[in-house]
Amino acid sequence: MNIGFIGLGVMGRPMASHLIAAGHTVFLHRVKAASQHLVEEGGKALDSAKAVAEAADVIILMLPDTPDVQAVLFDANGVADGLSKGKLVIDMSSISPVETQNFAIRIADLGCDYVDAPVSGGDVGAKNAALTIMCGGSEQAFERARPLFELMGKNITLVGDVGAGQTTKVANQIIVGLTIAAVSEALVFAKSAGADPAKVREALMGGFASSRILEVHGERMVKRTFDPGFRIQLHRKDMSLAVDGAKALNLSLPNTAATQQLMNAAIARGDGDKDHSALIQTLEALAGQKS
């Protein structure tokens, strides 16, 4: 299959690599030094999103935020300028559910299908082709995309119509963000009480408090390995989507709002480009602990 892939960051690079390794022809845009290896693996670098859309039957986006997706899709020489009837656009970014629906309408007007398919699992999941993929779109479009999803992920679910994938991802990020904050508070408490956080984590892994976040991010907190991963500033973006969505729905999400504020504080401290497990450093600072 001819596939376009735009968005070669920490997550996008291994995802595109899996597609190339499976024998697909993958057209790439915005190849930089960190992603040059994809060309060496067989990917084909092109100089615009339009050129990628012209060359590919399926175009995958993996971009940081809603404005980035809008620009790549609809700016001059964007994806929309290169689409022809019958192509499929898959947005695997984590962006606004409302804007996703608007984007899909504009792509449908060009005679093309659209699936929103944000992911969870971080850089580890991307590298291991073990991502959870949450999808919104028609059954027909989803089935067309499924063979590609299976090269990048393990838990693949069509949740509903376009936008449902993004709604699910926001829900995912609420759970992840609040759990990171909970693990951080637990380890800060343990340290202040004189216990070894590493031993506390080890003990908790055998009990009801055990979780994937305690396992992976708790270890990062203990070992102080905060290279992203998933940056705090990107997770703050997702928490803001949740808070804004709650306002639009007249919902109260007090713990989500509090965690968003912690992420604001982490970014103010200069930790925005660190892995979201580094949220513990903000709580340590509030507790008067040295990082």
Side-chain angles (χ1 to χ4, degrees), residues 98-169:
V98 173
E99 289 306 311
T100 290
Q101 292 171 335
N102 293 333
F103 298 161
I105 291 169
R106 295 174 68 178
I107 295 299
D109 287 343
L110 300 174
C112 299
D113 288 325
Y114 194 100
V115 173
D116 61 299
V119 304
S120 180
D123 58 324
V124 174
K127 291 173 183 175
N128 294 330
L131 293 168
T132 291
I133 306 177
M134 303 155 258
C135 305
S138 70
E139 185 78 33
Q140 180 181 2
F142 172 72
E143 290 301 330
R144 185 177 173 190
R146 185 197 288 271
L148 302 181
F149 293 151
E150 289 174 345
L151 296 172
M152 298 180 281
K154 299 293 186 186
N155 183 21
I156 303 160
T157 306
L158 177 61
V159 179
D161 293 335
V162 169
Q166 296 296 350
T167 296
T168 306
K169 179 59 187 288

Short mmCIF file of all heavy atoms in Angstrom, two decimals, residues 98-169:
data_model
loop_
_atom_site.label_atom_id
_atom_site.label_comp_id
_atom_site.label_asym_id
_atom_site.label_seq_id
_atom_site.Cartn_x
_atom_site.Cartn_y
_atom_site.Cartn_z
N VAL A 98 -14.29 18.16 18.81
CA VAL A 98 -15.18 19.02 18.01
C VAL A 98 -14.51 19.40 16.70
O VAL A 98 -15.12 19.30 15.62
CB VAL A 98 -15.55 20.29 18.81
CG1 VAL A 98 -16.34 21.26 17.93
CG2 VAL A 98 -16.37 19.92 20.04
N GLU A 99 -13.25 19.82 16.75
CA GLU A 99 -12.56 20.19 15.52
C GLU A 99 -12.33 18.98 14.63
O GLU A 99 -12.34 19.09 13.40
CB GLU A 99 -11.23 20.88 15.85
CG GLU A 99 -11.39 22.27 16.44
CD GLU A 99 -12.24 23.18 15.56
OE1 GLU A 99 -11.99 23.25 14.34
OE2 GLU A 99 -13.19 23.78 16.09
N THR A 100 -12.14 17.81 15.24
CA THR A 100 -12.01 16.58 14.46
C THR A 100 -13.23 16.37 13.58
O THR A 100 -13.12 16.02 12.39
CB THR A 100 -11.82 15.37 15.40
OG1 THR A 100 -10.53 15.46 16.00
CG2 THR A 100 -11.94 14.06 14.65
N GLN A 101 -14.40 16.58 14.14
CA GLN A 101 -15.63 16.41 13.36
C GLN A 101 -15.70 17.42 12.23
O GLN A 101 -16.11 17.09 11.11
CB GLN A 101 -16.84 16.55 14.28
CG GLN A 101 -16.95 15.41 15.28
CD GLN A 101 -18.03 15.63 16.33
OE1 GLN A 101 -18.38 16.77 16.64
NE2 GLN A 101 -18.54 14.55 16.89
N ASN A 102 -15.25 18.66 12.48
CA ASN A 102 -15.23 19.68 11.43
C ASN A 102 -14.24 19.31 10.32
O ASN A 102 -14.54 19.46 9.12
CB ASN A 102 -14.87 21.04 12.02
CG ASN A 102 -15.93 21.58 12.96
OD1 ASN A 102 -17.11 21.25 12.83
ND2 ASN A 102 -15.53 22.40 13.91
N PHE A 103 -13.07 18.82 10.71
CA PHE A 103 -12.07 18.41 9.71
C PHE A 103 -12.62 17.29 8.84
O PHE A 103 -12.43 17.26 7.62
CB PHE A 103 -10.78 17.96 10.39
CG PHE A 103 -10.08 19.02 11.20
CD1 PHE A 103 -9.14 18.66 12.17
CD2 PHE A 103 -10.35 20.37 11.02
CE1 PHE A 103 -8.48 19.61 12.92
CE2 PHE A 103 -9.69 21.34 11.78
CZ PHE A 103 -8.76 20.96 12.73
N ALA A 104 -13.28 16.34 9.49
CA ALA A 104 -13.81 15.17 8.76
C ALA A 104 -14.85 15.59 7.73
O ALA A 104 -14.90 15.04 6.61
CB ALA A 104 -14.41 14.16 9.74
N ILE A 105 -15.69 16.58 8.06
CA ILE A 105 -16.69 17.06 7.11
C ILE A 105 -16.00 17.66 5.88
O ILE A 105 -16.41 17.39 4.73
CB ILE A 105 -17.60 18.10 7.79
CG1 ILE A 105 -18.49 17.41 8.83
CG2 ILE A 105 -18.46 18.84 6.76
CD1 ILE A 105 -19.25 18.38 9.73
N ARG A 106 -14.95 18.42 6.11
CA ARG A 106 -14.24 19.05 4.99
C ARG A 106 -13.54 18.01 4.11
O ARG A 106 -13.51 18.14 2.89
CB ARG A 106 -13.23 20.09 5.51
CG ARG A 106 -13.89 21.25 6.22
CD ARG A 106 -12.88 22.19 6.85
NE ARG A 106 -12.09 22.91 5.85
CZ ARG A 106 -11.17 23.83 6.16
NH1 ARG A 106 -10.94 24.13 7.44
NH2 ARG A 106 -10.50 24.44 5.22
N ILE A 107 -13.02 16.98 4.74
CA ILE A 107 -12.37 15.91 3.97
C ILE A 107 -13.42 15.09 3.21
O ILE A 107 -13.22 14.71 2.05
CB ILE A 107 -11.54 15.00 4.90
CG1 ILE A 107 -10.37 15.79 5.52
CG2 ILE A 107 -11.01 13.78 4.15
CD1 ILE A 107 -9.39 16.37 4.54
N ALA A 108 -14.57 14.86 3.84
CA ALA A 108 -15.65 14.12 3.17
C ALA A 108 -16.16 14.88 1.95
O ALA A 108 -16.54 14.27 0.93
CB ALA A 108 -16.80 13.86 4.14
N ASP A 109 -16.15 16.20 2.01
CA ASP A 109 -16.59 17.01 0.87
C ASP A 109 -15.67 16.83 -0.34
O ASP A 109 -16.07 17.13 -1.47
CB ASP A 109 -16.62 18.49 1.26
CG ASP A 109 -17.79 18.83 2.18
OD1 ASP A 109 -18.74 18.02 2.26
OD2 ASP A 109 -17.73 19.89 2.84
N LEU A 110 -14.46 16.32 -0.11
CA LEU A 110 -13.52 16.03 -1.19
C LEU A 110 -13.64 14.60 -1.68
O LEU A 110 -12.86 14.17 -2.53
CB LEU A 110 -12.08 16.31 -0.71
CG LEU A 110 -11.78 17.74 -0.26
CD1 LEU A 110 -10.38 17.83 0.33
CD2 LEU A 110 -11.93 18.71 -1.44
N GLY A 111 -14.60 13.86 -1.11
CA GLY A 111 -14.83 12.48 -1.54
C GLY A 111 -13.92 11.46 -0.86
O GLY A 111 -13.74 10.36 -1.38
N CYS A 112 -13.40 11.83 0.30
CA CYS A 112 -12.46 10.95 1.01
C CYS A 112 -13.00 10.57 2.38
O CYS A 112 -13.85 11.26 2.95
CB CYS A 112 -11.10 11.64 1.16
SG CYS A 112 -10.32 12.06 -0.42
N ASP A 113 -12.50 9.47 2.91
CA ASP A 113 -12.87 9.00 4.24
C ASP A 113 -11.93 9.58 5.30
O ASP A 113 -10.79 9.96 5.00
CB ASP A 113 -12.82 7.47 4.31
CG ASP A 113 -13.96 6.82 3.55
OD1 ASP A 113 -15.06 7.40 3.53
OD2 ASP A 113 -13.74 5.75 2.96
N TYR A 114 -12.42 9.57 6.54
CA TYR A 114 -11.65 10.14 7.65
C TYR A 114 -11.86 9.26 8.88
O TYR A 114 -12.99 8.91 9.22
CB TYR A 114 -12.14 11.56 7.95
CG TYR A 114 -11.24 12.40 8.83
CD1 TYR A 114 -10.41 13.35 8.28
CD2 TYR A 114 -11.26 12.27 10.22
CE1 TYR A 114 -9.60 14.16 9.08
CE2 TYR A 114 -10.47 13.05 11.03
CZ TYR A 114 -9.63 14.00 10.45
OH TYR A 114 -8.83 14.79 11.24
N VAL A 115 -10.78 8.90 9.53
CA VAL A 115 -10.82 8.17 10.79
C VAL A 115 -9.95 8.90 11.79
O VAL A 115 -8.79 9.24 11.49
CB VAL A 115 -10.31 6.72 10.62
CG1 VAL A 115 -10.21 6.02 11.99
CG2 VAL A 115 -11.21 5.93 9.69
N ASP A 116 -10.49 9.21 12.96
CA ASP A 116 -9.64 9.71 14.05
C ASP A 116 -9.24 8.51 14.89
O ASP A 116 -10.07 7.69 15.27
CB ASP A 116 -10.32 10.80 14.87
CG ASP A 116 -11.60 10.36 15.55
OD1 ASP A 116 -12.54 9.97 14.83
OD2 ASP A 116 -11.68 10.42 16.80
N ALA A 117 -7.94 8.41 15.16
CA ALA A 117 -7.42 7.21 15.82
C ALA A 117 -6.28 7.55 16.76
O ALA A 117 -5.13 7.10 16.57
CB ALA A 117 -6.95 6.21 14.76
N PRO A 118 -6.54 8.36 17.79
CA PRO A 118 -5.49 8.66 18.75
C PRO A 118 -5.02 7.41 19.49
O PRO A 118 -5.73 6.41 19.53
CB PRO A 118 -6.15 9.66 19.70
CG PRO A 118 -7.61 9.37 19.58
CD PRO A 118 -7.83 8.96 18.16
N VAL A 119 -3.83 7.51 20.06
CA VAL A 119 -3.21 6.33 20.64
C VAL A 119 -2.81 6.57 22.09
O VAL A 119 -2.67 7.71 22.54
CB VAL A 119 -1.95 5.91 19.84
CG1 VAL A 119 -2.31 5.69 18.38
CG2 VAL A 119 -0.84 6.95 19.96
N SER A 120 -2.63 5.47 22.81
CA SER A 120 -2.07 5.49 24.16
C SER A 120 -1.03 4.39 24.25
O SER A 120 -1.13 3.37 23.58
CB SER A 120 -3.17 5.27 25.20
OG SER A 120 -2.63 5.29 26.51
N GLY A 121 -0.02 4.62 25.08
CA GLY A 121 1.03 3.64 25.24
C GLY A 121 2.41 4.26 25.24
O GLY A 121 3.41 3.60 25.55
N GLY A 122 2.49 5.53 24.87
CA GLY A 122 3.76 6.25 24.93
C GLY A 122 4.80 5.73 23.96
O GLY A 122 4.52 4.93 23.06
N ASP A 123 6.02 6.22 24.15
CA ASP A 123 7.11 5.84 23.25
C ASP A 123 7.40 4.34 23.33
O ASP A 123 7.77 3.72 22.33
CB ASP A 123 8.37 6.64 23.55
CG ASP A 123 8.86 6.48 24.98
OD1 ASP A 123 8.03 6.36 25.90
OD2 ASP A 123 10.09 6.48 25.17
N VAL A 124 7.20 3.75 24.51
CA VAL A 124 7.44 2.31 24.66
C VAL A 124 6.45 1.52 23.81
O VAL A 124 6.82 0.60 23.08
CB VAL A 124 7.34 1.89 26.14
CG1 VAL A 124 7.44 0.37 26.28
CG2 VAL A 124 8.42 2.57 26.97
N GLY A 125 5.17 1.90 23.88
CA GLY A 125 4.16 1.24 23.08
C GLY A 125 4.39 1.44 21.60
O GLY A 125 4.17 0.52 20.79
N ALA A 126 4.83 2.63 21.20
CA ALA A 126 5.10 2.90 19.79
C ALA A 126 6.25 2.04 19.29
O ALA A 126 6.18 1.45 18.20
CB ALA A 126 5.40 4.38 19.58
N LYS A 127 7.31 1.95 20.07
CA LYS A 127 8.48 1.17 19.65
C LYS A 127 8.16 -0.32 19.58
O LYS A 127 8.68 -1.04 18.72
CB LYS A 127 9.64 1.41 20.62
CG LYS A 127 10.23 2.81 20.53
CD LYS A 127 11.25 3.05 21.63
CE LYS A 127 11.78 4.48 21.57
NZ LYS A 127 12.69 4.78 22.71
N ASN A 128 7.29 -0.79 20.46
CA ASN A 128 6.96 -2.22 20.52
C ASN A 128 5.73 -2.59 19.70
O ASN A 128 5.27 -3.74 19.78
CB ASN A 128 6.76 -2.64 21.97
CG ASN A 128 8.02 -2.55 22.80
OD1 ASN A 128 9.13 -2.72 22.28
ND2 ASN A 128 7.88 -2.28 24.08
N ALA A 129 5.21 -1.63 18.93
CA ALA A 129 3.98 -1.86 18.15
C ALA A 129 2.87 -2.39 19.05
O ALA A 129 2.12 -3.29 18.68
CB ALA A 129 4.24 -2.81 16.99
N ALA A 130 2.76 -1.82 20.23
CA ALA A 130 1.80 -2.28 21.24
C ALA A 130 0.86 -1.17 21.68
O ALA A 130 0.33 -1.20 22.80
CB ALA A 130 2.54 -2.86 22.43
N LEU A 131 0.63 -0.18 20.83
CA LEU A 131 -0.22 0.94 21.19
C LEU A 131 -1.68 0.52 21.34
O LEU A 131 -2.14 -0.41 20.68
CB LEU A 131 -0.13 2.03 20.12
CG LEU A 131 1.22 2.73 20.00
CD1 LEU A 131 1.25 3.57 18.73
CD2 LEU A 131 1.50 3.60 21.23
N THR A 132 -2.39 1.20 22.21
CA THR A 132 -3.84 1.15 22.23
C THR A 132 -4.34 2.21 21.27
O THR A 132 -3.92 3.37 21.35
CB THR A 132 -4.38 1.41 23.64
OG1 THR A 132 -4.04 0.30 24.48
CG2 THR A 132 -5.89 1.57 23.63
N ILE A 133 -5.22 1.82 20.35
CA ILE A 133 -5.69 2.74 19.31
C ILE A 133 -7.20 2.88 19.41
O ILE A 133 -7.93 1.89 19.33
CB ILE A 133 -5.28 2.25 17.90
CG1 ILE A 133 -3.76 2.01 17.85
CG2 ILE A 133 -5.71 3.25 16.84
CD1 ILE A 133 -3.26 1.46 16.53
N MET A 134 -7.66 4.12 19.64
CA MET A 134 -9.07 4.42 19.89
C MET A 134 -9.63 5.14 18.67
O MET A 134 -9.19 6.24 18.34
CB MET A 134 -9.17 5.32 21.12
CG MET A 134 -8.54 4.71 22.36
SD MET A 134 -8.00 5.94 23.60
CE MET A 134 -6.23 5.95 23.30
N CYS A 135 -10.61 4.54 18.00
CA CYS A 135 -10.99 5.00 16.66
C CYS A 135 -12.40 5.55 16.58
O CYS A 135 -13.32 5.06 17.25
CB CYS A 135 -10.86 3.85 15.67
SG CYS A 135 -9.22 3.08 15.66
N GLY A 136 -12.56 6.56 15.73
CA GLY A 136 -13.86 7.09 15.39
C GLY A 136 -13.99 7.17 13.87
O GLY A 136 -13.06 7.63 13.20
N GLY A 137 -15.10 6.71 13.34
CA GLY A 137 -15.29 6.74 11.89
C GLY A 137 -16.30 5.70 11.47
O GLY A 137 -16.87 4.98 12.30
N SER A 138 -16.52 5.59 10.17
CA SER A 138 -17.45 4.58 9.67
C SER A 138 -16.82 3.20 9.77
O SER A 138 -15.59 3.05 9.79
CB SER A 138 -17.80 4.87 8.21
OG SER A 138 -16.69 4.64 7.36
N GLU A 139 -17.66 2.18 9.82
CA GLU A 139 -17.18 0.80 9.86
C GLU A 139 -16.32 0.49 8.64
O GLU A 139 -15.27 -0.15 8.74
CB GLU A 139 -18.37 -0.16 9.91
CG GLU A 139 -18.00 -1.62 10.08
CD GLU A 139 -17.62 -1.99 11.51
OE1 GLU A 139 -18.18 -1.40 12.44
OE2 GLU A 139 -16.74 -2.86 11.67
N GLN A 140 -16.73 0.98 7.49
CA GLN A 140 -16.00 0.72 6.24
C GLN A 140 -14.60 1.35 6.29
O GLN A 140 -13.61 0.70 5.94
CB GLN A 140 -16.78 1.27 5.05
CG GLN A 140 -16.09 1.07 3.70
CD GLN A 140 -16.90 1.66 2.55
OE1 GLN A 140 -17.95 2.27 2.77
NE2 GLN A 140 -16.41 1.50 1.34
N ALA A 141 -14.52 2.60 6.72
CA ALA A 141 -13.22 3.27 6.79
C ALA A 141 -12.33 2.61 7.83
O ALA A 141 -11.12 2.45 7.63
CB ALA A 141 -13.42 4.75 7.11
N PHE A 142 -12.93 2.23 8.97
CA PHE A 142 -12.16 1.57 10.03
C PHE A 142 -11.57 0.25 9.53
O PHE A 142 -10.39 -0.05 9.78
CB PHE A 142 -13.05 1.32 11.24
CG PHE A 142 -12.42 0.47 12.31
CD1 PHE A 142 -11.41 0.97 13.11
CD2 PHE A 142 -12.84 -0.84 12.51
CE1 PHE A 142 -10.83 0.18 14.11
CE2 PHE A 142 -12.26 -1.63 13.49
CZ PHE A 142 -11.25 -1.12 14.29
N GLU A 143 -12.36 -0.55 8.83
CA GLU A 143 -11.86 -1.84 8.35
C GLU A 143 -10.76 -1.65 7.32
O GLU A 143 -9.84 -2.46 7.22
CB GLU A 143 -13.01 -2.66 7.77
CG GLU A 143 -13.99 -3.17 8.82
CD GLU A 143 -13.32 -4.05 9.87
OE1 GLU A 143 -12.32 -4.73 9.55
OE2 GLU A 143 -13.79 -4.05 11.02
N ARG A 144 -10.85 -0.59 6.57
CA ARG A 144 -9.78 -0.28 5.60
C ARG A 144 -8.48 0.07 6.32
O ARG A 144 -7.39 -0.27 5.87
CB ARG A 144 -10.25 0.88 4.72
CG ARG A 144 -9.30 1.26 3.60
CD ARG A 144 -9.92 2.37 2.77
NE ARG A 144 -9.00 2.88 1.78
CZ ARG A 144 -9.22 3.98 1.05
NH1 ARG A 144 -10.35 4.66 1.21
NH2 ARG A 144 -8.31 4.39 0.17
N ALA A 145 -8.62 0.74 7.45
CA ALA A 145 -7.44 1.16 8.21
C ALA A 145 -6.89 0.08 9.12
O ALA A 145 -5.72 0.11 9.50
CB ALA A 145 -7.79 2.40 9.04
N ARG A 146 -7.73 -0.88 9.49
CA ARG A 146 -7.35 -1.86 10.52
C ARG A 146 -6.01 -2.57 10.24
O ARG A 146 -5.19 -2.71 11.16
CB ARG A 146 -8.45 -2.90 10.70
CG ARG A 146 -8.15 -3.88 11.83
CD ARG A 146 -9.01 -5.12 11.74
NE ARG A 146 -10.39 -4.89 12.09
CZ ARG A 146 -10.87 -4.98 13.33
NH1 ARG A 146 -10.06 -5.31 14.33
NH2 ARG A 146 -12.14 -4.76 13.58
N PRO A 147 -5.73 -3.03 9.00
CA PRO A 147 -4.45 -3.72 8.79
C PRO A 147 -3.24 -2.84 9.12
O PRO A 147 -2.20 -3.37 9.57
CB PRO A 147 -4.48 -4.07 7.29
CG PRO A 147 -5.93 -4.10 6.94
CD PRO A 147 -6.56 -3.05 7.78
N LEU A 148 -3.36 -1.54 8.94
CA LEU A 148 -2.27 -0.64 9.29
C LEU A 148 -2.20 -0.46 10.80
O LEU A 148 -1.11 -0.46 11.38
CB LEU A 148 -2.47 0.71 8.61
CG LEU A 148 -2.56 0.67 7.08
CD1 LEU A 148 -2.74 2.08 6.52
CD2 LEU A 148 -1.36 -0.01 6.47
N PHE A 149 -3.36 -0.34 11.44
CA PHE A 149 -3.38 -0.23 12.90
C PHE A 149 -2.73 -1.46 13.55
O PHE A 149 -2.03 -1.35 14.56
CB PHE A 149 -4.81 -0.09 13.42
CG PHE A 149 -5.49 1.19 13.04
CD1 PHE A 149 -6.87 1.25 12.89
CD2 PHE A 149 -4.77 2.36 12.84
CE1 PHE A 149 -7.51 2.42 12.56
CE2 PHE A 149 -5.39 3.56 12.50
CZ PHE A 149 -6.78 3.58 12.35
N GLU A 150 -2.95 -2.62 12.96
CA GLU A 150 -2.43 -3.86 13.54
C GLU A 150 -0.90 -3.94 13.46
O GLU A 150 -0.28 -4.72 14.18
CB GLU A 150 -3.06 -5.06 12.84
CG GLU A 150 -4.54 -5.23 13.21
CD GLU A 150 -5.23 -6.33 12.44
OE1 GLU A 150 -4.68 -6.79 11.41
OE2 GLU A 150 -6.34 -6.73 12.85
N LEU A 151 -0.30 -3.11 12.62
CA LEU A 151 1.16 -3.04 12.56
C LEU A 151 1.74 -2.11 13.63
O LEU A 151 2.93 -2.14 13.89
CB LEU A 151 1.61 -2.55 11.18
CG LEU A 151 1.26 -3.46 10.00
CD1 LEU A 151 1.60 -2.77 8.69
CD2 LEU A 151 2.01 -4.80 10.10
N MET A 152 0.86 -1.31 14.23
CA MET A 152 1.31 -0.32 15.20
C MET A 152 0.79 -0.55 16.61
O MET A 152 1.32 0.00 17.57
CB MET A 152 0.91 1.09 14.73
CG MET A 152 1.53 1.50 13.41
SD MET A 152 1.04 3.17 12.87
CE MET A 152 -0.60 2.84 12.20
N GLY A 153 -0.28 -1.34 16.74
CA GLY A 153 -0.90 -1.49 18.04
C GLY A 153 -1.47 -2.86 18.30
O GLY A 153 -1.46 -3.73 17.42
N LYS A 154 -1.96 -3.05 19.52
CA LYS A 154 -2.51 -4.34 19.96
C LYS A 154 -4.00 -4.24 20.28
O LYS A 154 -4.79 -5.07 19.89
CB LYS A 154 -1.76 -4.84 21.20
CG LYS A 154 -0.27 -5.08 20.97
CD LYS A 154 -0.02 -6.24 20.02
CE LYS A 154 1.48 -6.54 19.93
NZ LYS A 154 1.77 -7.57 18.90
N ASN A 155 -4.37 -3.23 21.05
CA ASN A 155 -5.76 -3.05 21.47
C ASN A 155 -6.39 -1.99 20.57
O ASN A 155 -6.18 -0.79 20.76
CB ASN A 155 -5.81 -2.62 22.94
CG ASN A 155 -7.23 -2.48 23.44
OD1 ASN A 155 -8.16 -3.05 22.87
ND2 ASN A 155 -7.40 -1.70 24.50
N ILE A 156 -7.17 -2.43 19.59
CA ILE A 156 -7.70 -1.53 18.55
C ILE A 156 -9.22 -1.59 18.61
O ILE A 156 -9.81 -2.65 18.43
CB ILE A 156 -7.19 -1.96 17.16
CG1 ILE A 156 -5.66 -1.98 17.14
CG2 ILE A 156 -7.75 -1.05 16.08
CD1 ILE A 156 -5.07 -2.82 16.03
N THR A 157 -9.85 -0.44 18.86
CA THR A 157 -11.30 -0.41 19.08
C THR A 157 -11.95 0.70 18.27
O THR A 157 -11.51 1.85 18.33
CB THR A 157 -11.62 -0.18 20.57
OG1 THR A 157 -10.94 -1.15 21.37
CG2 THR A 157 -13.11 -0.29 20.82
N LEU A 158 -12.99 0.34 17.52
CA LEU A 158 -13.85 1.35 16.91
C LEU A 158 -14.89 1.74 17.95
O LEU A 158 -15.79 0.96 18.26
CB LEU A 158 -14.52 0.82 15.64
CG LEU A 158 -15.50 1.77 14.95
CD1 LEU A 158 -14.79 3.05 14.50
CD2 LEU A 158 -16.18 1.09 13.77
N VAL A 159 -14.79 2.96 18.47
CA VAL A 159 -15.65 3.40 19.56
C VAL A 159 -16.99 3.92 19.03
O VAL A 159 -18.04 3.70 19.63
CB VAL A 159 -14.95 4.49 20.40
CG1 VAL A 159 -15.84 4.97 21.53
CG2 VAL A 159 -13.62 3.96 20.96
N GLY A 160 -16.95 4.60 17.90
CA GLY A 160 -18.17 5.20 17.36
C GLY A 160 -17.85 6.02 16.14
O GLY A 160 -16.86 5.78 15.43
N ASP A 161 -18.68 7.03 15.86
CA ASP A 161 -18.50 7.89 14.71
C ASP A 161 -17.27 8.78 14.87
O ASP A 161 -16.65 8.82 15.95
CB ASP A 161 -19.75 8.74 14.49
CG ASP A 161 -20.96 7.91 14.08
OD1 ASP A 161 -20.75 6.82 13.51
OD2 ASP A 161 -22.10 8.35 14.35
N VAL A 162 -16.95 9.53 13.82
CA VAL A 162 -15.81 10.44 13.87
C VAL A 162 -15.90 11.34 15.10
O VAL A 162 -16.95 11.89 15.41
CB VAL A 162 -15.76 11.30 12.58
CG1 VAL A 162 -14.75 12.43 12.74
CG2 VAL A 162 -15.40 10.45 11.38
N GLY A 163 -14.79 11.47 15.80
CA GLY A 163 -14.72 12.24 17.04
C GLY A 163 -14.75 11.37 18.28
O GLY A 163 -14.25 11.78 19.34
N ALA A 164 -15.30 10.16 18.16
CA ALA A 164 -15.39 9.27 19.32
C ALA A 164 -14.00 8.81 19.78
O ALA A 164 -13.77 8.60 20.97
CB ALA A 164 -16.27 8.07 19.01
N GLY A 165 -13.10 8.66 18.83
CA GLY A 165 -11.73 8.28 19.20
C GLY A 165 -11.08 9.36 20.04
O GLY A 165 -10.44 9.07 21.07
N GLN A 166 -11.25 10.62 19.62
CA GLN A 166 -10.66 11.73 20.37
C GLN A 166 -11.30 11.87 21.75
O GLN A 166 -10.61 12.17 22.73
CB GLN A 166 -10.79 13.02 19.58
CG GLN A 166 -10.04 13.04 18.26
CD GLN A 166 -8.53 12.95 18.41
OE1 GLN A 166 -7.99 13.04 19.52
NE2 GLN A 166 -7.84 12.76 17.30
N THR A 167 -12.61 11.65 21.83
CA THR A 167 -13.28 11.70 23.14
C THR A 167 -12.72 10.63 24.06
O THR A 167 -12.46 10.87 25.26
CB THR A 167 -14.80 11.51 22.96
OG1 THR A 167 -15.32 12.60 22.19
CG2 THR A 167 -15.51 11.44 24.30
N THR A 168 -12.50 9.43 23.52
CA THR A 168 -11.92 8.35 24.31
C THR A 168 -10.51 8.69 24.76
O THR A 168 -10.12 8.40 25.90
CB THR A 168 -11.92 7.04 23.49
OG1 THR A 168 -13.23 6.77 23.02
CG2 THR A 168 -11.44 5.86 24.33
N LYS A 169 -9.74 9.33 23.88
CA LYS A 169 -8.37 9.70 24.25
C LYS A 169 -8.35 10.73 25.36
O LYS A 169 -7.52 10.66 26.28
CB LYS A 169 -7.61 10.23 23.02
CG LYS A 169 -6.17 10.65 23.33
CD LYS A 169 -5.33 9.51 23.89
CE LYS A 169 -3.95 9.96 24.35
NZ LYS A 169 -3.05 10.29 23.25
#
